Amino acid sequence: MDYPMRRDDPFHPPPAYAQLRAELPVSKVRLRTGQQVWFVTRQADAKVVLGDPAFSSVPNTPGYPAIRPLPEGPPPPGVFLAMDPPGHTRLRRMLTGEFTVKRMAALRPVIDKVIADCLAELTAVDGPVDLVEVFARPVPSLVICELLGVPHSDREFFNERSQVQLDRAAPAADVAQAVEDLRAYLDGLCRAKTSSPGDDLLSRLVLQRVRAGELTHEELVGIARLLLVAGHETTANMIGLSVLTLLSQRSRWEELCADPGLVPGAVEELLRFSSIVQQGVARAVVADISVGGQAMRPGDGVLVALASADRDEHVFADPDTLDLHRTANRHIAFGFGVHQCLGQMLARTELVASLTALTQAVPDLRLAIDPADVEFRPDMAVYGISALPITTT
């Protein structure tokens, strides 16, 4: 089959995924570049690929799937998402303390304040307003500002540049300029934290790691850039897509309005149901291994379809149904293994807080356009919607 595959319904993965799970769960697909790679669709096999050191996350490893043009040379300093152990382990361990349950509880008042401010802007408009522009995008962006210690006076600049950088519809020159603006800004921010640390993630890394000689300035800047992208685009799209999904099944929205205690479980189900990491998680084989009965050799490429793994009939009863009361929800929307999303507790906290605030403050929220007119983003690495016009009264 050719990859990527076409969706028939924007709320569901391509129907070919179910066919592959049933008939050939580890198969070969052809990318747009002509490269042929293994394609993994069942959750058990996905966990093998994501959890075994026989698979590499480094993009310049031979066989790594070229879904998009791959950068030449090694990963930029600090971008541990594109590294294998031990380099990956060294950098990730420096950040685990920043994303604990305790740290997220301490950050919750900040998250609630950001959401309250965005909600006030959302409800101040007399008529239709774009939930993506006013709420879904700025909430995670402003929370990341708080986490990284971006001064309040710089947050409009930071928010504008980060949105342009992540806007796949923006002109290439604008995106490139935004990327450079943010790189230069984060370089300066890290230098400022080095000379005068505050009470934020970057400052703590300076005090605990940079001054001890365990982390370079370039690595600190790379970590800041990685956290910006990883902590913004996924959560922003998940907020918008979650609201649309609930509104398209109005009874589900009304359930949450009536019982906010359902929201944490609903967030887990929405993560499973949507699985917004749309383009497969890529790996390169670096040692002989068998997955799902298929022998893989060094130099092979592999794509793991998280959206398929989270609709696996072997794991979930009635997987194509959005069930807000689902209890055995063993989804892998945040990945699996050593690269499982470091910021998943932050994402969960933001999603629970956002849906709780929206369902309780604006229970009459409705789409301002026909659902068929909502513009989805089928070719993007992270699935979502471009805009969501809504009314709040």
Side-chain angles (χ1 to χ4, degrees), residues 176-240:
Q177 186 61 54
V179 168
E180 175 55 29
D181 288 349
L182 278 172
R183 188 210 60 78
Y185 176 82
L186 290 171
D187 180 82
L189 180 66
C190 289
R191 293 187 187 281
K193 301 296 181 185
T194 301
S195 62
S196 181
D199 182 19
D200 54 74
L201 185 152
L202 293 179
S203 294
R204 287 188 287 274
L205 286 176
V206 166
L207 293 171
Q208 299 166 13
R209 306 295 181 176
V210 175
R211 291 186 177 179
E214 299 174 13
L215 191 69
T216 67
H217 171 77
E218 290 73 21
E219 288 175 327
L220 183 65
V221 174
I223 287 172
R225 294 177 67 186
L226 176 60
L227 292 177
L228 166 65
V229 175
H232 179 279
E233 187 171 18
T234 50
T235 305
N237 280 287
M238 194 64 214
I239 292 173

Side-chain angles (χ1 to χ4, degrees), residues 286-304:
V286 293
D288 289 343
I289 191 171
S290 178
V291 180
Q294 299 287 354
M296 299 184 183
R297 306 282 183 247
D300 288 351
V302 186
L303 288 176
V304 175

